[in-house]
Every structure is written in C-alpha cells, then in structure tokens.
Amino acid sequence: MKLLLPTWYDGPAPHLPGAEVVAYDPRIPVPPEHADAQILVAWGQAPHVLPDAARRMGDLRLVQALHAGPDDVLAAGFAPDVVLCSGVGLHDKPVTEHAVGLILALGGGRRRGGGGGPPLGAPPPPPHVWNEALGGPQPLRAPDGTTHSLIGARVTIWGFGSIAANLAPVLTALGAQVRGIARSGGERAGYPVVTEASLPEVLASTDVLVMILPMSAATRNILDARRLAMLPPSAYLVNVGRGTTVDEDALVAALRAGQLAGAAIDVTHTEPLPADSPLWEAPGLIITPHAAGGRPVGAGELIEHNVNALLTGGSYRNLIPR
C-alpha cells in the first residue's frame, strides 16, 4: 500500500507497518510514478491538484484531508467509492490561539478615542518611543462602551463546533462571558447556544463577535449590512472561519462609518487578498493571511486511525458524507 504525504506536513510520520509512505509536493500534480497510490493525504494543495488527482489516481481508496472544511475535497470529483475524511479537530488549539490573539490585539493594544489611547488604524509611534497612551491607569471599558479587556466582555461565537468548544473555556478563563449561535440551540460544552432567530437581541448585547462558520451556500455573506448594524458601535468582529461568511463591502462601510469599534479577519472571499481590495484601507481592520489553521495538531494519529479503518473495515473519524 502506498500513502502520499504532502511535504508541508512536518508532524510525526504515521506508523503504518508495511506501507510505503511517499512525500509529494502539493503545489504540483502528483507525479505519474505515484499515481498508483491508494491513500492521499490532502493538505495545502494548489487549486488544480485535487481535481487532477481525482481524474488520474484510479487506485485511490482514501483521501484524508488535514483541513477542517470539506469543500475542496468534495468539489474535486473523486469517485463515489473513494472514502473522504476531513481534519475536523486538528485545528482547534491553533485557531483558538489565533482568535484570542486577534481579540486582544483589537481590545488591548489599539484603543478607540474614548479610552484615552490612539484611534484604531492610527500609525504606530516611532521606534524607541514609550507610548504613554497605552500605559498607566486604564479603564476596562471606555465611556463609549468599548471593552479594553476580556474581563467581563460579552463574547458571542457564531458557529459552535469543535473549535468553539475549545475556544470558549479559554475566553472564560480570561474573564469573558461566552455564548454561542448555531443552527440548533441548547447547551454545548457547557455554554448556552441559541439559534439565528435570536440574532437581534444577542448581537445587540455583544462586545466581541467571533465568526467560525463553514463555507456553504447558506452561510455566504450571512453577516451582511443588516446584521452588522445589529451590533453596537462599541463591538469588535473577529473572523477565523471562512471569508465568504462576511459581506466584505458591508464590513468596510461599517468600519468607515464608525459602526464598529474594529475588526480582525484571518480569511477573505479571495485569497490571497488582492492588492486593490478596499479591505486594506478599512480603518480599524487587522488582516492576517489565513494563518490561524496552518498547524494541524494530531494529524499523524488521525491518518493512522483512518488507514487502519480502511484495512480492517472499522469506523472512520471525520467521515465526509456524500
């Protein structure tokens, strides 16, 4: 049995006795001499690589993606008898770290005028200059309601899956009050979760909105101008889910009009983000280049489990339904 492992992967090699593990460059099509592989680990592929693999790799039995979203694997056109599995759970901790970092960067280091610090989007002070505005006595919350700390902050996580279940306790430990929004309400991981029917009242009392929604037709531009207007002007937005879930034109307009205290996005509709995108010039916007989920944790064990399931007829983890 031959397994193709992308060169981007730098975790422990899966322990698969008797298997030939071959490293391949995910930026280019799978070389002809390895098109006979039975298992393809997908991670960091150029857009054309997976559809090419679906056409040429006739012996494939399992495609194990290391990213959480199933979109590109499903769209590649693999034969119906090829088992497809995602990397759900592998990015919970790295995305949590990134989301917390973005929240703290918005609320702690770049304060709105009401809090005595420089306005969002202002240029940093010259090097070797002690910035008095960011030190000394500081309120947890500015007169206009903008929070400068997670202590007491009301954080809403829209899209309450495994990443949110990992993120929520971290935010709680830092003093935040956390709740979620999802397709079905109830309690998840010990946190109250409401449906989108409650959006008006929930968003109106949100200090930080964290978006971790998947990409789908139903979520495209789901945070539009109307819903952005439900947030108080003192609120921050953080998107570490999919770029297509936020209406970018509406976000730029809201930031320019002062309808949000600031925003931080790790994902955009088009990636890489074009140099002429209005997002680059939006006031109070922090942009990171899809960096939150770049380090899958526990991938080797997941690959081992699903390869063994393939060989023994066991149950797969993260099976993508088709």
Side-chain angles (χ1 to χ4, degrees), residues 280-315:
W280 291 115
E281 304 299 327
L285 179 62
I286 298 172
I287 301 173
T288 55
H290 206 141
R295 301 166 299 280
V297 176
E301 190 275 331
L302 177 62
I303 295 168
E304 288 179 21
H305 177 94
N306 283 340
V307 170
N308 287 326
L310 175 69
L311 297 177
T312 64
S315 60

Side-chain angles (χ1 to χ4, degrees), residues 75-100:
F78 289 103
D81 60 340
V82 177
V83 176
L84 306 180
C85 295
S86 75
V88 168
L90 301 182
H91 304 279
D92 294 356
K93 292 180 179 179
V95 175
T96 289
E97 286 183 338
H98 200 81
V100 171

Side-chain angles (χ1 to χ4, degrees), residues 67-294:
H67 42 280
D71 350 300
D72 54 350
V73 174
L74 283 172
F78 289 103
D81 60 340
V82 177
V83 176
L84 306 180
C85 295
S86 75
V88 168
L90 301 182
H91 304 279
D92 294 356
K93 292 180 179 179
V95 175
T96 289
E97 286 183 338
H98 200 81
V100 171
L102 292 177
I103 294 170
L104 295 177
L106 284 170
R110 295 159 60 99
R111 295 164 183 168
R112 201 175 172 94
L120 286 165
H128 302 236
V129 172
W130 186 272
N131 191 347
E132 296 283 357
L134 296 180
Q138 297 285 345
L140 290 178
R141 196 175 285 269
D144 65 359
T146 306
T147 182
H148 295 168
S149 169
L150 277 168
I151 300 171
R154 300 163 298 181
V155 180
T156 302
I157 304 175
W158 193 353
F160 212 94
S162 65
I163 294 174
N166 189 83
L167 172 62
V170 176
L171 296 174
T172 298
L174 293 172
Q177 304 168 22
V178 183
R179 58 190 168 184
I181 303 171
R183 284 178 296 181
S184 58
E187 184 178 293
R188 299 190 189 183
Y191 290 88
V193 176
V194 300
T195 67
E196 292 172 14
S198 300
L199 275 172
E201 54 266 37
V202 169
L203 293 185
S205 58
T206 291
D207 294 315
V208 182
L209 174 62
V210 182
M211 303 282 289
I212 320 180
L213 286 168
M215 181 173 70
S216 71
T219 63
R220 185 173 182 83
N221 288 335
I222 195 167
L223 186 63
D224 55 12
R226 181 175 64 87
R227 286 170 169 164
L228 281 167
M230 295 177 184
L231 290 163
S234 57
Y236 296 119
L237 167 68
V238 173
N239 188 10
V240 290
R242 288 291 181 264
T244 54
T245 63
V246 175
D247 183 328
E248 293 178 347
D249 291 339
L251 174 59
V252 171
L255 289 169
R256 287 176 176 170
Q259 293 175 352
L260 285 177
I265 57 174
D266 185 55
V267 287
T268 56
H269 278 245
T270 302
E271 297 178 2
L273 184 63
D276 61 352
S277 169
L279 289 169
W280 291 115
E281 304 299 327
L285 179 62
I286 298 172
I287 301 173
T288 55
H290 206 141

